[in-house]
Amino acid sequence: MPSFRNTPYAAFLFDMDGTLLDSSAAVERVWRRWCDRHGIDADALIAVCHGVRGEDTVRRFATPGMDVDAEAAWLNAAELEDVEGVVAIDGIQDLIAGLAAQEWAIVTSAPRNLAEVRLHAIGLPVPAVFITAEDVTHGKPDPQGFRLAAERLGVAVADCLVFEDSPAGVAAGKAAGATVAIVGPRVAAEEGTYAITDYR
């Protein structure tokens, strides 16, 4: 069993963006372009889009008559072509290298093709259990993704440690019944059991 700060867990369940890697520069560039195209307040959108499926954010900010699926597809295509500035969170490669396949999973709000591109950009492998936007009917803050990852790993989600960086992701981890480690500054440290800035 993997352990974190001397506490064993059945498995580690990682969000991706902001948790394994920092893609915030690319994410914000693309979303600002999209907002400019539609006359949407980019600052208001960026304040709430992290950790949430793109289609859910489009739906939340959609103008009358907007084709949500088409706009989500445009955003995904734009993000696939923009990995400039995507970097690993310090220490994550060493942590992942020490885990067996059945000891970790990724639960991301990104579509699978985009998640694979970003993992490749920082040299991390695609895990055996890889939950992406296409695998769930309800995105974060719904706990479905984390519960599904634990099920596929064959462990109880209550025995897992979730690593998250966004309010939606932390809420999903808690709702799933997992212990939550908060990575980075987007969520107050007291919201989780642990608060870290990197994995060193």
Side-chain angles (χ1 to χ4, degrees):
M1 294 174 69
S3 65
F4 187 77
R5 296 191 177 171
N6 299 316
T7 300
Y9 293 93
F12 293 161
L13 309 179
F14 295 94
D15 173 48
M16 185 184 70
D17 294 286
T19 304
L20 299 175
L21 56 89
D22 181 358
S23 61
S24 55
V27 168
E28 294 190 13
R29 277 194 301 270
V30 170
W31 278 104
R32 286 186 184 279
R33 282 171 54 202
W34 184 79
C35 288
D36 287 346
R37 293 173 72 226
H38 296 287
I40 292 168
D41 183 339
D43 290 336
L45 182 148
I46 287 167
V48 297
C49 75
H50 293 284
V52 179
R53 294 188 304 175
E55 66 190 88
D56 294 335
T57 299
V58 170
R59 192 172 291 110
R60 179 173 178 176
F61 286 86
T63 53
M66 180 179 285
D67 184 331
V68 171
D69 290 340
E71 296 301 324
W74 183 93
L75 284 155
N76 188 52
E79 289 191 295
L80 282 169
E81 296 189 0
D82 189 350
V83 293
E84 183 180 349
V86 175
V87 295
I89 303 296
D90 286 340
I92 192 60
Q93 282 102 338
D94 288 342
L95 177 60
I96 296 296
L99 298 175
Q102 71 275 15
E103 293 179 339
W104 71 292
I106 291 175
V107 181
T108 178
S109 296
R112 186 179 182 100
N113 58 359
L114 178 59
E116 289 181 351
V117 164
R118 288 187 177 157
L119 290 173
H120 179 73
I122 63 162
L124 276 184
V126 172
V129 175
F130 190 32
I131 308 300
T132 62
E134 297 92 337
D135 296 308
V136 297
T137 53
H138 301 289
K140 301 171 187 177
D142 191 278
Q144 183 182 11
F146 287 120
R147 289 175 176 163
L148 181 58
E151 179 184 322
R152 291 186 179 175
L153 287 170
V155 298
V157 71
D159 297 330
C160 294
L161 177 59
V162 163
F163 291 88
E164 267 288 0
D165 73 304
S166 69
V170 170
K174 287 182 172 182
T179 302
V180 177
I182 294 168
V183 183
R186 284 199 182 99
V187 180
E190 58 268 23
E191 291 293 316
T193 300
Y194 311 102
I196 62 173
T197 56
D198 58 49
Y199 300 94
R200 292 174 296 182

